[in-house]
């Protein structure tokens, strides 16, 4: 499908409001309107309908002058009655740019008054409503070729196209929008004014655009293909992609920003267990080692930050998410269980223990369940709580010899490595990391490893005590069921592998808290809880990941039968609510009237696909019970995703791992297609380039020819106009031919969504034709140079990351004059 929307009214809206994308620098990032928000006695001037919500993100906005309402029928009815569009703002509590936009825009009483007059304003916590976020993020990506949070979308009201029109269709979208014009783009007041005017003056065209955009969103999200055969070649292709993406210098996959991607490593561990070759273990072990030693890992307090802003795992984006730590603890435990005598086994055990201890210490609700996230900023400064100077470290530790060791151990002797990217006035400081492995450092000091570890513990205790006295990052203390399922599994695995009952007890207590507080009267589950108040019917991912946690508890406590019984019970409950007749599962319940499309998701994001996890759960239940119904269902589900599995490779890595497991459990079930193994990707180029015709000839001073590209399956190349600055465009140029000019016409690219980017990218794939015309300049005489070449520069990518750019030299022979 061609994703470039040709929508007439869009052009007018762009003239009015401009494409809005997130900028890299903020304006004065303080509370510029703080004095207008409170009375002299300190009481709030404004309180809106978010005050009764439980989401910390929504409560952060409850005293904005914007008349925010939660997503729901009351807001929809008001929009219908007033006949005005809806302004939908989506974000989450630990989102840096969400905080910036609130301070700059939503706390401004003048902007709020303008917004309240012209729109019904709805605020959504994307973590509570991932379904709403997924749909409107796709609209944002299709419309702007970018995405992110905060997400700002304008929707038609119910009744806009007639009494029975449910509305809620997007007609304009962006992300962060500043309060004043910047970089040639309008400020938020100009966006509001322009969209309001177009709504009143050209409403029919706006509704037509909304219909087209909603149809494009539906078509994109529902693109799955027909059920078909699945085989080992799909697993092989995904493996080849990941090995090609592997960063041999720093570990991990791709470049900056670098995410931990635990699902990739989990899959490669499955492949390694099936075929234990050293190259696979090198990828896994090297990456885990580099992450554990980097600044993305909190060396003092334990736990992982969200991602690394560089390719070396050094400087993190400082927010901490429960789902990241859960997946990484489970991964490190799996690896330790696989090779308990590995050279890095002690490092892996420390990471597991410190991360589990961090979650139990700082992220645990009074009920025993787990909170969601911790913020990246403190006092509007990125990472303020986590960074150190040499003097601060020495003052905190006191003992000069121990302080010298800390400075050496944590890299402060190598110079500063961090400055707040949003504040040029901030002084440089240090993110603590381990530039030298502890074993190497120990050998240099000549002491026993146990003594070095004791000193590290003393150093960390001293630093943590000082850090705890600083202003702390905000904690989103809502309980999300799916993320809790992940953490229950992680603690259960950690307790089992380390023989640590404390972690098993914490996992069981969290599961019991969910069973006590987050179950519905009809045998279902709730999505979220705060202060023991549960709400929002659970989505597929909530059932899938909670069952995963229950299964991990059963494996850790096989003598406790309730965990397995509950796992089967909630797997059946999920099938009753979400199963598709063709196989697989929908992400949402069938009766959700507030969504204009019901999605059956399969691609892995930061939280891997719920469909992939459901298949794994079925395979687990088959292994534990030997009941064929579970394998039957897993086979059917896998076959229902045959087309995207073949097309997307590592973009669906969790489901690829499930396919590998199913093939191992009963290969005869998948014998309808011969098992094939692809040649490794590093043995074959990503594309072949040929000239047509081969005998290029001048006619009237011009020579026309085509460069034909045949791009390999599972690869694509960035177009000549890539969607993101960090991607390399495809170019075709002429070299060693002075006096000649080359005019190049590229075909229309496609917009496609891939796992390594947050928005659709402009790409070429399959077979394409580049049209070229060679012309002599007026002063040029003589024959065409025999050594002339075409330079084809491109960046080949898989579904999940991009390879280094390549420049191919294509000899160009031209006859005639």
């Amino acid at each position: 499908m061609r994703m470039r929307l040709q929508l007439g009214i869009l052009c007018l809206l762009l003239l009015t409001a401009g494409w809005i994308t997130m900028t890299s620098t903020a304006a004065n990032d303080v509370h510029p309107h703080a004095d207008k928000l409170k009375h002299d006695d300190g009481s709030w001037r404004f309180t809106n309908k978010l005050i009764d919500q439980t989401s910390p993100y929504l409560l952060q906005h409850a005293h904005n002058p914007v008349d925010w309402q939660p997503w729901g029928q009351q807001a929809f009815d008001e929009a219908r009655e007033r006949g005005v569009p809806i302004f939908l703002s989506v974000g989450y509590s630990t989102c840096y740019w969400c905080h910036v936009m609130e301070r700059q825009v939503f706390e401004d009483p003048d902007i709020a008054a303008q917004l309240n007059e012209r729109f019904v304003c709805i605020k959504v916590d994307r973590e509570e409503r991932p379904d709403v976020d997924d749909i409107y993020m796709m609209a944002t990506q299709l419309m702007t070729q970018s995405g992110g949070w905060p997400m700002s979308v304008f929707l038609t009201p119910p009744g806009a196209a007639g009494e029975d029109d449910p509305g809620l269709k997007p007609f304009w979208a962006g992300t962060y929008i500043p309060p004043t014009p910047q970089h040639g783009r309008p400020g938020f007041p100009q966006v509001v004014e322009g969209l309001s005017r177009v709504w009143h003056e050209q409403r029919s065209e706006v509704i037509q655009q909304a219909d087209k955009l909603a149809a494009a969103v539906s078509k994109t999200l529902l693109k799955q293909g027909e059920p078909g055969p699945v085989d080992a070649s799909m697993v092989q292709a995904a493996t080849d992609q990941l090995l090609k993406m592997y960063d041999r210098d720093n570990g991990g996959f791709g470049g900056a920003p670098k995410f931990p991607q635990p699902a990739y490593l989990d899959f490669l561990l499955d492949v390694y267990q099936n075929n234990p070759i050293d190259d696979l273990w090198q990828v896994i072990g090297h990456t885990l080692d580099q992450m554990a030693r980097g600044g993305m890992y909190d060396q003092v307090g334990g736990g992982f930050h969200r991602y690394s802003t560089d390719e070396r795992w050094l400087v993190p984006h400082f927010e901490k998410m429960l789902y990241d730590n859960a997946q990484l603890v489970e991964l490190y435990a799996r690896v330790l269980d696989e090779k308990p005598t590995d050279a890095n086994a002690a490092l892996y055990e420390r990471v597991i223990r410190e991360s589990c201890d961090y979650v139990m210490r700082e992220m645990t609700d009074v009920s025993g369940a787990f909170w969601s996230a911790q913020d990246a900023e403190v006092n509007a400064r990125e990472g303020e709580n986590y960074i150190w100077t040499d003097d601060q470290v020495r003052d905190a530790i006191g003992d000069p010899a121990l302080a010298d060791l800390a400075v050496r151990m944590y890299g402060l002797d190598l110079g500063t490595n961090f400055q707040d990217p949003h504040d040029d006035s901030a002084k440089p400081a240090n993110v603590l990391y381990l530039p030298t492995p502890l074993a190497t450092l120990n050998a240099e000091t000549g002491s026993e490893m146990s003594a070095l570890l004791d000193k590290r513990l003393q150093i960390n205790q001293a630093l943590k005590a000082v850090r705890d006295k600083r202003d702390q990052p905000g904690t989103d203390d809502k309980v999300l069921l799916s993320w809790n399922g992940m953490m229950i599994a992680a603690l259960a695995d950690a307790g089992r592998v380390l023989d640590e009952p404390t972690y098993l007890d914490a996992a069981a207590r969290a599961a019991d808290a969910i069973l006590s507080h987050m179950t519905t009267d009809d045998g279902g589950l709730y999505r979220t809880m705060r202060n023991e108040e549960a709400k929002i019917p659970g989505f597929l991912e909530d059932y899938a990941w909670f069952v995963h946690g229950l299964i991990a508890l059963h494996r850790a406590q096989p003598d406790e039968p309730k965990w397995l019984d509950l796992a089967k019970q909630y797997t059946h409950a999920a099938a009753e609510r979400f199963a598709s007749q063709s196989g697989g599962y929908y992400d949402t319940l069938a009766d959700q009237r507030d969504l204009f499309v019901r999605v059956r998701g399969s691609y892995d994001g930061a939280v891997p696909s719920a469909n992939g996890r459901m298949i794994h759960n079925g395979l687990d239940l088959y292994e534990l019970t030997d009941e064929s119904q579970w394998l039957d269902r897993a086979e059917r589900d896998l076959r229902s995703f045959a087309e995207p599995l073949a097309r997307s490779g590592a973009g669906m890595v969790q489901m690829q791992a499930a396919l590998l497991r199913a093939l191992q459990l009963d290969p005869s079930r998948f014998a309808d297609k011969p098992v094939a193994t692809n040649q490794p990707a590093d043995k074959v180029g990503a594309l072949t380039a040929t000239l047509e015709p081969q005998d290029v000839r001048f006619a009237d001073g011009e020579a026309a020819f085509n460069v034909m590209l045949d791009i390999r399956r599972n690869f694509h190349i960035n177009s000549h106009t890539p969607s993101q600055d960090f991607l390399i465009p495809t170019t075709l140029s002429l070299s060693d031919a002075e006096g000649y000019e080359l005019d190049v016409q590229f075909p229309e690219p496609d917009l496609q969504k891939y796992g390594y980017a947050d928005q659709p990218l402009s790409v070429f794939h399959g077979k394409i034709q580049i049209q070229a015309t060679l012309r002599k300049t007026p002063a040029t005489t003589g024959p065409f140079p025999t050594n002339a070449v075409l330079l084809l520069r491109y960046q080949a990518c898989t579904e999940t990351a991009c390879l280094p750019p390549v420049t191919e030299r294509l000899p160009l022979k031209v006859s005639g004059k």
Side-chain angles (χ1 to χ4, degrees):
M1 172 186 176
R2 298 285 184 185
M3 296 295 186
R4 237 181 250 286
L5 298 177
Q6 304 299 326
L7 305 175
I9 189 66
L10 176 61
C11 298
L12 177 60
L13 294 183
L14 295 182
L15 289 174
T16 304
W19 290 106
I20 300 298
T21 54
M22 189 172 295
T23 62
S24 60
T25 59
N28 184 23
D29 190 22
V30 294
H31 284 271
H33 311 288
D35 59 334
K36 303 176 184 178
L37 300 180
K38 291 187 176 182
H39 295 287
D40 293 340
D41 63 1
S43 61
W44 292 103
R45 290 182 181 271
F46 308 98
T47 300
N48 55 51
K49 293 177 182 177
L50 299 183
I51 194 65
D52 296 322
Q53 296 299 299
T54 59
S55 159
Y57 175 66
L58 300 187
L59 290 170
Q60 287 170 5
H61 295 77
H63 296 293
N64 293 168
V66 177
D67 289 337
W68 293 119
Q69 300 188 50
W71 180 267
Q73 196 60 48
Q74 184 176 354
F76 306 155
D77 289 345
E78 180 182 333
R80 178 191 290 270
E81 292 167 8
R82 291 173 56 190
V84 297
I86 292 168
F87 170 58
L88 172 65
S89 177
V90 182
Y92 57 103
S93 69
T94 59
C95 162
Y96 176 81
W97 285 98
C98 300
H99 299 325
V100 173
M101 192 166 178
E102 180 190 15
R103 291 191 283 264
Q104 295 178 345
V105 175
F106 301 142
E107 291 183 353
D108 186 326
D110 295 331
I111 294 177
Q114 179 194 30
L115 193 58
N116 296 337
E117 178 185 357
R118 293 171 169 84
F119 299 92
V120 169
C121 303
I122 296 179
K123 177 66 76 170
V124 167
D125 181 342
R126 68 177 294 262
E127 295 169 354
E128 283 194 335
R129 292 300 302 266
D131 54 338
V132 174
D133 179 66
D134 287 346
I135 290 171
Y136 294 107
M137 181 56 71
M138 179 55 66
T140 303
Q141 292 167 343
L142 290 177
M143 202 168 196
T144 70
Q145 302 184 49
S146 65
W149 299 276
M151 177 167 53
S152 305
V153 189
F154 292 83
L155 317 179
T156 60
E163 185 65 26
D164 296 331
D165 173 27
L168 307 182
K169 296 178 181 178
F171 63 87
W172 197 94
T175 52
Y176 164 78
I177 307 174
T180 57
Q182 293 182 16
H183 312 295
R185 294 169 175 162
F188 192 79
Q190 290 76 42
V191 173
V192 170
E193 174 64 31
L195 292 177
S196 177
R197 185 173 70 249
V198 172
W199 174 254
H200 288 291
E201 295 177 0
Q202 296 176 267
R203 184 171 305 187
S204 62
E205 293 175 83
V206 173
I207 293 171
Q208 183 181 22
Q209 168 165 308
D211 288 341
K212 289 182 179 179
L213 182 54
V217 169
S218 298
K219 187 172 183 179
T220 303
L221 292 176
L222 295 175
K223 184 179 180 182
Q224 295 287 355
E226 297 297 322
V230 291
D231 62 73
S233 69
M234 299 170 178
V235 178
Q236 182 66 54
T239 304
D240 291 342
Q241 288 177 27
L242 291 180
L243 294 179
K244 191 75 174 180
M245 291 157 50
Y246 167 56
D247 181 346
R248 297 180 182 278
D249 294 326
N250 303 295
F253 305 91
K258 183 173 282 185
F259 290 81
Q261 305 285 16
Y264 289 177
L265 296 166
D266 205 51
F267 166 72
L268 290 179
L269 184 56
D270 287 328
V271 176
Y272 174 83
Q273 290 173 333
N274 181 61
N275 183 20
I277 59 176
D278 291 342
D279 286 351
L280 284 171
W281 190 259
Q282 164 66 20
V283 174
I284 299 165
H286 180 216
T287 301
L288 294 185
D289 175 70
Q290 293 296 106
M291 287 195 300
R293 288 173 45 209
M296 194 187 76
Y297 180 71
D298 183 352
Q299 301 292 338
V300 170
F304 288 88
H305 297 291
R306 179 70 189 94
Y307 61 85
S308 174
T309 61
D310 55 68
E311 71 282 358
R312 298 184 295 146
W313 309 108
L314 176 57
V315 176
H317 178 54
F318 288 92
E319 66 183 323
K320 286 182 174 181
M321 310 300 293
L322 183 67
Y323 60 76
D324 282 323
N325 283 282
Q327 291 178 83
L328 287 164
V329 165
E330 189 172 359
L331 173 64
Y332 276 90
R334 274 197 71 193
V335 170
L336 184 61
D337 196 32
E338 176 69 20
K339 283 198 173 184
T341 60
D342 186 81
N344 285 323
L347 172 62
Y348 299 159
E349 180 174 346
R350 288 198 302 275
V351 167
I352 295 167
R353 290 187 181 277
E354 291 172 359
S355 298
C356 289
D357 292 346
Y358 152 71
V359 170
M360 293 171 62
R361 181 182 67 243
E362 299 186 27
M363 297 286 283
T364 302
D365 186 69
V366 65
S367 68
F370 305 111
W371 294 333
S372 299
Q374 288 181 319
D375 217 331
E377 65 167 21
V378 177
N379 299 322
R381 293 183 181 274
E382 176 90 8
E384 184 179 76
N385 183 62
Y386 297 102
I387 57 176
W388 297 85
T389 65
D390 185 293
D391 288 343
Q392 288 173 336
V393 167
R394 293 184 182 280
D395 289 345
I397 294 173
D399 179 89
L402 200 59
D404 287 342
L405 176 61
V407 167
R408 169 82 169 88
M409 178 184 295
Y410 287 136
L412 286 89
D413 59 333
L414 301 177
T416 58
N417 55 34
F418 176 79
Q419 183 175 22
D420 189 332
H422 311 295
D423 184 357
D424 294 338
S425 67
K427 294 181 180 179
N430 285 81
V431 175
L432 304 187
Y433 73 115
L434 294 172
T436 304
L438 289 184
T440 303
L441 185 63
N442 182 65
E444 292 174 359
T445 60
S447 61
E448 293 291 331
M449 177 59 79
S450 59
L452 179 62
L453 293 177
D454 286 343
K455 291 178 181 178
R456 177 177 177 268
L457 179 61
Q458 294 176 48
I459 290 168
N460 283 356
Q461 288 174 339
L463 295 178
K464 186 68 167 58
V466 171
R467 199 172 85 176
D468 286 347
K469 295 177 183 177
R470 299 174 174 176
D471 292 342
Q472 297 299 303
T475 297
D476 188 323
D477 59 352
K478 68 176 178 290
V479 172
L480 292 173
L481 180 50
S482 60
W483 301 6
N484 268 256
M486 291 177 163
M487 197 67 229
I488 290 167
L491 284 164
D493 283 358
R496 176 178 55 81
V497 171
L498 299 179
D499 192 22
E500 178 53 74
T502 302
Y503 301 149
L504 275 175
D505 291 345
R509 183 169 179 247
D512 285 334
I514 289 166
L515 294 167
S516 297
H517 301 291
M518 300 184 72
T519 55
T520 65
D521 293 339
D522 64 351
L525 297 165
Y526 284 113
R527 165 71 176 172
T528 183
M529 176 182 72
R530 186 168 182 263
N531 297 329
E532 299 188 1
E533 178 185 345
K535 66 177 188 177
I536 304 176
F539 302 106
L540 175 65
E541 71 171 50
D542 297 305
Y543 288 78
W545 289 104
F546 184 48
V547 168
H548 175 56
L550 294 171
I551 290 171
L553 272 170
H554 173 75
R555 293 189 186 278
Q557 297 178 331
D559 295 332
E560 176 53 77
K562 77 172 184 178
W563 303 128
L564 182 58
D565 292 340
L566 287 164
K568 291 191 287 186
Q569 173 186 326
Y570 285 112
T571 301
H572 285 306
E576 292 171 0
R577 288 162 172 78
F578 303 102
S580 166
Q581 290 184 351
S582 61
Y585 303 83
Y586 292 104
D587 295 341
T588 58
L589 295 167
D591 59 353
Q592 289 187 226
R593 297 181 181 180
D594 56 351
L595 306 176
F596 63 80
V597 59
R598 193 181 187 204
V599 179
R600 192 177 69 121
S602 59
Y603 290 91
D604 297 320
V607 174
S609 151
N611 265 288
R613 178 42 53 189
M614 287 294 293
I615 297 172
H616 275 288
N617 292 344
L619 298 174
D620 286 329
L621 292 173
Y622 173 70
E623 290 176 343
L624 293 169
T625 67
D626 202 30
E627 297 173 2
S628 61
Q629 60 166 317
W630 305 113
L631 188 56
D632 292 343
R633 178 75 209 200
E635 179 190 356
R636 182 185 178 196
D637 294 343
L638 284 166
R639 290 182 181 276
S640 76
F641 290 102
E643 185 175 318
L645 278 167
R647 182 180 66 245
S648 301
M652 295 169 59
V653 70
Q654 183 182 216
M655 201 177 293
Q656 300 282 11
L659 173 57
L660 176 59
R661 289 182 66 191
L663 289 168
Q664 293 168 331
L665 286 169
D666 190 352
S668 64
R669 285 175 175 259
F670 304 92
D672 52 355
K673 183 177 180 182
V675 174
T677 301
N678 287 354
Q679 190 172 356
D682 58 358
K683 297 295 198 305
V684 183
L687 60 80
T688 56
T690 56
L691 268 59
E692 290 187 1
Q694 294 183 351
D695 55 336
V696 180
R697 300 181 64 84
F698 275 113
D700 298 325
E702 292 186 353
F705 58 93
N706 298 319
V707 178
M708 311 299 294
L709 303 186
D710 188 354
I711 303 167
R712 279 185 62 210
R713 177 189 174 191
N714 296 324
F715 279 85
H716 60 271
I717 62 174
N718 301 321
S719 77
H720 57 299
T721 55
S723 309
Q724 293 190 342
D725 292 341
F726 69 88
L727 299 176
I728 305 299
T730 295
T731 60
L732 183 67
S733 59
L734 184 65
S735 179
D736 298 326
E738 186 176 354
Y740 292 84
E741 298 174 344
L742 188 69
D743 179 50
V744 179
Q745 297 293 322
F746 287 91
E748 181 74 8
D750 285 338
L751 283 181
Q752 298 285 349
K753 183 72 173 68
Y754 299 108
Y756 61 89
D758 288 333
Q759 62 271 343
L761 303 181
S762 177
V763 301
F764 298 127
H765 56 83
K767 296 182 179 181
I768 68 166
Q769 175 181 298
I770 304 173
Q771 299 176 349
T773 303
L774 183 68
R775 295 187 179 92
K776 291 183 180 182
T777 59
T780 301
T781 60
F784 186 72
T786 58
N787 62 335
V789 293
L790 295 169
L791 300 179
L792 176 66
R793 181 171 171 79
Y794 61 89
Q795 185 176 31
C797 307
T798 67
E799 291 278 353
T800 50
C802 285
L803 310 179
V806 172
T807 300
E808 289 196 18
R809 298 172 63 86
L810 306 176
L812 179 61
K813 307 298 181 183
V814 184
S815 59
K817 297 182 179 179

